[in-house]
Amino acid sequence: MRINRWDRERILVTGGAGFLGSHLCERLLEDNAYVICLDNYFTGQRRNIFHLIDNKYFELIRHDIVNPIFLEVDKIYHLACPASPIHYQYNPVKTIKTNVMGSINMLGLAKRVKARILQASTSEIYGDPEVHPQPESYWGNVNPIGPRSCYDEGKRCAETLFFDYHRQNHVAIKVVRIFNTYGPRMHPDDGRVVSSFIIQALLGEPITIFGEGEQTRSFCYVDDMIEGIIKMMETPDNITGPINLGNPEETRIIDLANMILRLTGSDSEIRFMPLPKDDPQKRRPDITKAKQILNWEPRISLEDGLKETIKYFKKIIEEK
Ligand code: NAD
Ligand code: UDP
């Protein structure tokens, strides 16, 4: 392992100014790393990392990973990619470039400097799953030509690249498949269900349920997710994944809406809207592997996590 003049591991976090990336940077600094946060601010926000800027072990680079970059680092957490359907469908060709060319650039960097690299993959790999809950061995049910394909197929290709760089060039890879994660610092305008419902409830606007609200997701609080991601990075080299990370507690979207209404004390009405194309009907991780290999499982209940998230969005709304 290379060390710098502070005797700290140098860790690159791509997408470090985003929701998950900013929590990861914060946690790695607490764990005594030297953190390089790289972002093009497409969906990331400077306010997410503002509190870290004065830290002498924290460095910020504005860069788009579609272009190569040369750095000396020991580990790479590769998170750069818009994650919400609104954002990744805004410029689908760019989403594919970010996933494919961006991953090639980061894997090339890992190969050159012999860094260990972790891919933030996704439950979208499974598409609209026919197997429930989803184990890592399931190959998925993905539409290759639909509006979500730029993200789903982009992430699938990124996983392929990770495993080919591993087999062909012996790059030390780690792949985690992240299921829906929520918490403070989600982008307020990203249209994801937790942030949208909380903001709508706090502003007294209608809660927009797509479809009947019978579809399910399994929501993991950000602190639990960051713990799982770091545990995966710290496994021995022979452990590559993919490993599912998420909360196996499955919730119907209608139940999520009612829970948020109760926790915010809001009297917003519920409004039913058309279901977007290819919206998966159900999603729940099988986390047997994460339990066995990482000794990890989520600890924070949906209710406790939502309370923290509501506090955050209340503050954002007050500031505005
Ligand atoms: P986010 O949109 O908040 O963060 C992504 C970050 O990547 C942003 O800061 C954005 O500006 C940056 N970025 C995007 N394209 C870039 C590019 N070309 N070059 C440099 N930076 C770029 O999303 P998030 O929820 O924090 O997700 C982080 C990662 O985790 C993503 O790869 C996402 O696919 C994955 N993931 C997240 C979830 C979730 O529920 N949050 C679920 C599955 C997978
Ligand atoms: N959803 C909804 N209303 C919203 C936003 C999302 O009913 O305002 C639904 C969406 O159709 C999906 C689920 O909530 O079934 C989760 O959506 P999100 O975009 O958060 O994540 P993903 O679909 O990528 O899991």
Side-chain angles (χ1 to χ4, degrees), residues 97-108:
K97 282 187 183 171
T98 296
N99 273 307
V100 177
M101 294 159 72
S103 295
I104 290 174
N105 286 329
M106 288 308 118
L107 284 160

Side-chain angles (χ1 to χ4, degrees), residues 151-212:
Y151 183 75
D152 300 6
E153 297 289 18
K155 286 281 186 182
R156 286 169 72 94
C157 184
E159 281 201 11
T160 308
L161 285 164
F162 268 69
F163 278 87
D164 281 336
Y165 268 80
H166 176 63
R167 283 185 289 255
Q168 193 176 330
N169 302 114
H170 312 292
V171 173
I173 61 156
K174 309 277 169 193
V175 176
V176 290
R177 292 184 178 156
I178 300 172
F179 284 63
N180 297 62
T181 303
Y182 70 98
R185 300 196 202 133
M186 292 181 89
H187 197 296
D189 303 321
D190 72 5
R192 279 192 264 191
V193 69
V194 172
S195 44
S196 296
F197 284 4
I198 292 178
I199 291 170
Q200 289 163 345
L202 291 175
L203 295 177
E205 293 172 354
I207 307 282
T208 53
I209 292 192
F210 301 158
E212 308 280 304

Side-chain angles (χ1 to χ4, degrees), residues 14-21 38-45 63-66 78-84 87 94 98 120-123 151 155 178-182 192:
T14 74
F19 160 50
L20 292 180
L38 180 155
D39 210 293
N40 70 348
Y41 300 108
F42 174 49
T43 53
Q45 307 175 87
H63 179 79
D64 190 319
I65 52 153
V66 164
H78 181 35
L79 275 64
C81 176
S84 80
H87 286 142
K94 176 68 189 224
T98 296
S121 190
T122 169
S123 52
Y151 183 75
K155 286 281 186 182
I178 300 172
F179 284 63
N180 297 62
T181 303
Y182 70 98
R192 279 192 264 191

Side-chain angles (χ1 to χ4, degrees), residues 19-300:
F19 160 50
L20 292 180
S22 62
H23 285 277
L24 183 60
C25 288
E26 198 175 276
R27 171 66 197 278
L28 293 170
L29 285 167
E30 280 167 23
D31 291 351
N32 295 323
Y34 183 94
V35 177
I36 304 175
C37 164
L38 180 155
D39 210 293
N40 70 348
Y41 300 108
F42 174 49
T43 53
Q45 307 175 87
R46 282 179 66 240
R47 61 169 295 148
N48 288 346
I49 36 129
F50 217 61
H51 60 296
L52 305 177
I53 282 171
D54 284 339
N55 188 322
K56 70 175 178 177
Y57 303 114
F58 183 72
E59 199 178 319
L60 198 52
I61 302 178
R62 179 189 280 266
H63 179 79
D64 190 319
I65 52 153
V66 164
N67 302 308
I69 187 163
F70 299 94
L71 298 165
E72 294 293 328
V73 289
D74 305 300
K75 288 179 181 160
I76 304 170
Y77 286 88
H78 181 35
L79 275 64
C81 176
S84 80
I86 289 185
H87 286 142
Y88 68 64
Q89 289 172 25
Y90 171 76
N91 184 345
V93 173
K94 176 68 189 224
T95 300
I96 299 173
K97 282 187 183 171
T98 296
N99 273 307
V100 177
M101 294 159 72
S103 295
I104 290 174
N105 286 329
M106 288 308 118
L107 284 160
L109 173 63
K111 177 183 157 193
R112 189 175 62 83
V113 300
K114 297 194 168 46
R116 182 180 283 193
I117 181 165
L118 177 142
Q119 163 69 348
S121 190
T122 169
S123 52
E124 292 286 330
I125 293 289
Y126 304 119
D128 193 3
E130 291 155 325
V131 172
H132 195 70
Q134 295 80 58
E136 292 83 351
S137 54
Y138 177 49
W139 289 354
N141 175 35
V142 177
N143 178 356
I145 56 168
R148 296 175 82 104
S149 313
C150 58
Y151 183 75
D152 300 6
E153 297 289 18
K155 286 281 186 182
R156 286 169 72 94
C157 184
E159 281 201 11
T160 308
L161 285 164
F162 268 69
F163 278 87
D164 281 336
Y165 268 80
H166 176 63
R167 283 185 289 255
Q168 193 176 330
N169 302 114
H170 312 292
V171 173
I173 61 156
K174 309 277 169 193
V175 176
V176 290
R177 292 184 178 156
I178 300 172
F179 284 63
N180 297 62
T181 303
Y182 70 98
R185 300 196 202 133
M186 292 181 89
H187 197 296
D189 303 321
D190 72 5
R192 279 192 264 191
V193 69
V194 172
S195 44
S196 296
F197 284 4
I198 292 178
I199 291 170
Q200 289 163 345
L202 291 175
L203 295 177
E205 293 172 354
I207 307 282
T208 53
I209 292 192
F210 301 158
E212 308 280 304
E214 290 295 321
Q215 71 271 40
T216 66
R217 293 293 186 273
S218 304
F219 297 103
C220 184
Y221 188 65
V222 59
D223 291 358
D224 281 332
M225 182 54 63
I226 297 300
E227 182 70 27
I229 290 174
I230 291 177
K231 278 197 159 184
M232 179 61 175
M233 181 63 112
E234 296 309 320
T235 51
D237 274 354
N238 63 326
I239 294 182
T240 57
I243 286 195
N244 288 338
L245 292 179
N247 194 324
E249 188 189 323
E250 191 176 352
T251 306
R252 291 185 312 161
I253 296 303
I254 182 86
D255 296 333
L256 176 75
N258 284 320
M259 195 180 218
I260 289 176
L261 284 173
R262 176 169 60 79
L263 294 175
T264 51
S266 167
D267 54 11
S268 288
E269 57 160 311
I270 287 184
R271 185 172 293 170
F272 293 94
M273 320 256 294
L275 191 67
K277 187 167 166 19
D278 294 340
D279 198 282
Q281 272 310 297
K282 48 189 186 297
R283 199 185 279 152
R284 177 177 152 208
D286 177 338
I287 59 163
T288 312
K289 269 196 172 184
K291 280 186 185 163
Q292 280 170 354
I293 297 172
L294 308 179
N295 191 22
W296 174 89
E297 65 184 311
R299 293 170 194 280
I300 298 157

